[in-house]
Amino acid sequence: MMRRHTFLAAGLAGISTAVLAPTLAWAAPPQRPIAVVPLDDRPVNVYCAAITAAVAGRQVVFPPRDALGRFFQPGDGAAVARWLAAADTREFVISVSMLAYGGLIASRTAEPTLDAARANVEAIRALRRAKPDATILVHDMIQRLALTSKDPELSEYITLIVQWTKLYDQVENLGQEELRAQLDEVRAKIPDAMLDDYLAARGRNHEINTLMVDWVADGTITHLVLSEDDTAPVGLGRAERVELERRVAERGIGDRVEIFPGADEVDALLVARLIPGEAAPSFRLDYSGVPGAQWTAELEGIPFEDNIRRHVATVGGTVGDGEIVLAVNTPSASPERRAADVDAFTARIATHLAAGTPVIVVDPVFVDRADHDLVARLERDVELPRLLSYSGWNTGGNALGLALSHGVARWALLGASGSGLACRTDLGEPGRAHAEYLLYRFVKDDPWKNVIQKDAYAEARARGWNPLSLTAEQKVFFDGWVRERLVPVTRQYFTDHFAGHDLVLGRRGSTTVTARLDDLGEVVVELPWDRLFEVTLEPQVTLSAAAVSPSG
């Protein structure tokens, strides 16, 4: 499989791989790739979007690597606009944060002007004029409450700005006058220049948010997601969301716009929207603990079940008594019930899989890590490769969207191969992508986040280094430090939970094509940015020769 750095450097190259020799001579019509302008160059926005497509036998293409920027170095929106104009495809997923400002972090500063942002996003209108029949899916972000900075001395002000934005919304927008003295006290502690820059960025971004809504109304944009980055029940983000929701309602375009808590998952989510075609996925919910309607995840501002419904709508699906079980790990009503709740939850998942029911597992209980107790029980009770997907990464919305996108891609591939609508010469390619992505998620979300990353943070601090702002030399050290630990953990995880299992590659009429998960080849590990917050992990799975058998 072509890896992250390869397909970024190639620009118009997509993920492709030859896993197995062709097993059945099933012809598939060639499909143009999906052109993706990612939120930034991190693995969650590049690798996850690309492998989501690969799970369904599709390819994606990205702008040239040097146009995307890196960390605090903004991307080149004008270069991305030129790339969009030249892309030879009819399906587009476009992050406005990259196109307008140069990426997620750049979008949080006031440096890119409104005029420059408007000029860059004009590429979307030009694309519609040039390709009237194109599907143009767009993602823009409602700015998060906090700033982003490499300087630990600014952490005090970052906290104060979050407090101020919440208090301002409560006092000025929600009329809670009893909080005014507290608002004034916090405001007095924030330097004017810092708050001015923060508000200028928010104002500019809200103007572009509003413009994107108007472009849905006039037909420029096919479908729009406005995601709320690290939000809360109160704050300027809430007020901006309410304004945008009102504008969407006034224009009667609620069926073409989703607004929900999230951010990094949306590139993959919109790729997944393009995959099923006319086959809309349907879901039924199964919670481990309290119902999602009664729980709001940390860094979000709406009940989690509302967020589920909005994410599901983004992939063109519905929630009810559906075909796919969306198994969602939520807190228990009391600590005493937790062990029994999780045991019963994993037992239900195992029962669903034994009955042939497709299952997606979403693990949003903890921010930025898996619920290890849940994962341990899944490892014990469930044949992991049979899951459509799993994610426990970062915020609740992130975990939800990444699991949904992978699961919908896998479900669509299996359904299409069974119907004969998308038969392909080599079903091993999407099968291997599925196994690699599932392995990636379990290793990255549990042992990496719960153990190795914590140890890495401790090691950095013991050396007097900032784990969120490494020097070039420090990054080289930690590239090796992390690789020495994460590669053997990944290999052992594959041996323990994937090796020797049969993987369904596809179905055709009364036959099922399977292959055995055979071995793990190269495991690529490095830090994508000069910090320890995320890691590049790219395992390369090998499959045995495919076998054809009657469907059971």
Side-chain angles (χ1 to χ4, degrees):
M1 180 176 289
M2 189 173 289
R3 297 291 135 184
R4 173 177 179 268
H5 297 291
T6 306
F7 57 68
L8 278 180
L12 287 176
I15 279 195
S16 62
T17 178
V19 184
L20 305 172
T23 306
L24 298 175
W26 299 346
Q31 290 179 295
R32 290 175 175 171
I34 301 166
V36 177
V37 175
L39 180 60
D40 56 36
D41 72 322
R42 288 173 298 147
V44 67
N45 296 308
V46 176
Y47 178 80
C48 292
I51 203 163
T52 294
V55 166
R58 296 292 305 275
Q59 291 187 347
V60 299
V61 293
F62 295 100
R65 175 67 187 82
D66 59 5
L68 297 181
R70 182 178 178 276
F71 206 6
F72 281 88
Q73 177 61 43
D76 185 343
V80 172
R82 292 191 295 272
W83 175 83
L84 271 175
D88 182 20
T89 187
R90 288 292 188 272
E91 294 179 314
F92 297 86
V93 171
I94 301 172
S95 166
V96 170
S97 295
M98 175 58 71
L99 181 60
Y101 317 116
L104 175 60
I105 289 181
S107 75
R108 297 171 180 163
T109 73
E111 186 172 335
T113 66
L114 177 59
D115 287 344
R118 282 181 174 273
N120 286 344
V121 299
E122 241 342 278
I124 300 173
R125 289 179 70 84
L127 190 62
R128 174 59 70 204
R129 289 192 296 269
K131 299 179 178 180
D133 61 338
T135 300
I136 302 175
L137 308 183
V138 173
H139 169 216
D140 200 6
M141 295 185 58
I142 300 172
Q143 186 176 331
R144 77 175 188 174
L145 300 184
L147 297 169
T148 297
S149 174
K150 295 190 294 184
D151 187 351
E153 294 183 2
L154 293 178
S155 60
E156 175 187 357
Y157 295 117
I158 293 171
T159 301
L160 286 170
I161 285 177
V162 172
Q163 292 175 353
W164 178 85
T165 184
K166 292 179 179 180
L167 287 166
Y168 184 92
D169 185 39
Q170 289 171 294
V171 173
E172 300 295 344
N173 297 322
L174 301 176
Q176 298 176 22
E177 282 295 327
E178 69 275 13
L179 297 175
R180 185 171 291 280
Q182 188 177 348
L183 169 65
D184 293 341
E185 180 184 353
V186 172
R187 171 63 186 89
K189 297 177 182 178
I190 304 171
D192 290 346
M194 182 176 292
L195 188 59
D196 288 346
D197 185 83
Y198 175 78
L199 292 176
R202 292 206 76 95
R204 178 205 60 208
N205 292 2
H206 188 62
E207 289 278 344
I208 298 297
N209 291 160
T210 303
L211 183 63
M212 295 301 103
V213 171
D214 292 344
W215 284 3
V216 175
D218 71 15
T220 300
I221 294 171
T222 307
H223 202 92
L224 173 67
V225 169
L226 295 170
S227 69
E228 299 175 87
D229 184 17
D230 291 357
T231 188
V234 294
L236 291 181
R238 183 210 64 82
E240 291 161 358
R241 169 174 55 81
V242 169
E243 284 189 22
L244 292 163
E245 287 173 338
R246 184 182 302 118
R247 197 174 189 93
V248 168
E250 288 170 352
R251 281 153 178 72
I253 54 173
D255 60 334
R256 288 179 281 154
V257 180
E258 266 79 52
I259 304 177
F260 55 68
D264 291 316
E265 77 276 17
V266 180
D267 289 335
L269 202 65
L270 289 176
V271 167
R273 181 183 178 88
L274 294 168
I275 289 170
E278 298 300 317
S282 61
F283 300 88
R284 49 184 144 140
L285 303 180
D286 184 351
Y287 295 110
S288 67
V290 299
Q294 299 173 16
W295 176 66
T296 298
E298 189 175 347
L299 299 176
E300 298 190 359
I302 62 174
F304 200 68
E305 187 160 317
D306 289 351
N307 206 9
I308 290 172
R309 293 180 184 279
R310 297 179 192 192
H311 275 74
V312 165
T314 299
V315 294
T318 58
V319 176
D321 187 20
E323 173 188 357
I324 303 168
V325 172
L326 196 60
V328 183
N329 186 28
T330 54
S332 295
S334 67
E336 295 75 20
R337 294 181 54 174
R338 188 59 185 165
D341 282 351
V342 176
D343 280 340
F345 183 59
T346 55
R348 292 195 302 272
I349 291 171
T351 299
H352 289 313
L353 292 175
T357 303
V359 179
I360 291 171
V361 179
V362 183
D363 186 6
V365 167
F366 301 113
V367 170
D368 200 33
R369 63 184 178 93
D371 178 351
H372 175 72
D373 290 341
L374 169 66
V375 172
R377 286 167 172 81
L378 289 171
E379 292 165 354
R380 181 193 68 190
D381 298 339
V382 172
E383 191 175 349
L384 299 185
R386 295 185 65 183
L387 292 171
L388 288 183
S389 61
Y390 164 86
S391 180
W393 186 80
N394 212 20
T395 68
N398 295 156
L400 170 62
L402 292 170
L404 263 181
S405 55
H406 177 189
V408 167
R410 173 68 170 163
W411 168 83
L413 183 282
L414 294 176
S417 68
S419 67
L421 294 176
C423 299
R424 57 199 71 249
T425 301
D426 189 357
L427 288 167
E429 296 179 15
R432 187 174 83 158
H434 167 66
E436 290 178 348
Y437 196 15
L438 202 55
L439 175 62
Y440 165 96
R441 282 265 65 97
F442 275 107
V443 172
K444 192 169 185 179
D445 299 352
D446 188 23
W448 160 249
K449 281 294 185 181
N450 279 313
V451 180
I452 299 173
Q453 187 190 56
K454 290 180 179 179
D455 291 347
Y457 273 54
E459 178 72 21
R461 290 177 177 129
R463 293 171 175 268
W465 300 349
N466 181 356
L468 297 180
S469 181
L470 302 172
T471 67
E473 293 78 12
Q474 292 165 1
K475 180 184 181 299
V476 170
F477 170 83
F478 270 112
D479 277 335
W481 190 98
V482 171
R483 190 178 298 116
E484 288 174 2
R485 289 154 178 81
L486 190 54
V487 169
V489 165
T490 304
R491 292 193 181 283
Q492 190 62 51
Y493 203 94
F494 178 83
T495 298
D496 291 345
H497 305 295
F498 285 75
H501 289 270
D502 288 332
L503 184 70
V504 174
L505 303 182
R507 300 181 179 90
R508 183 68 164 95
S510 60
T511 62
T512 297
V513 183
T514 62
R516 184 150 295 179
L517 292 163
D518 190 30
D519 198 5
L520 192 61
E522 183 183 8
V523 179
V524 177
V525 170
E526 69 171 3
L527 303 178
W529 283 1
D530 301 333
R531 63 183 191 179
L532 291 168
F533 183 75
E534 62 268 298
V535 68
T536 295
L537 171 64
E538 296 175 3
Q540 299 184 30
V541 171
T542 59
L543 306 179
S544 66
V548 179
S549 61
S551 296

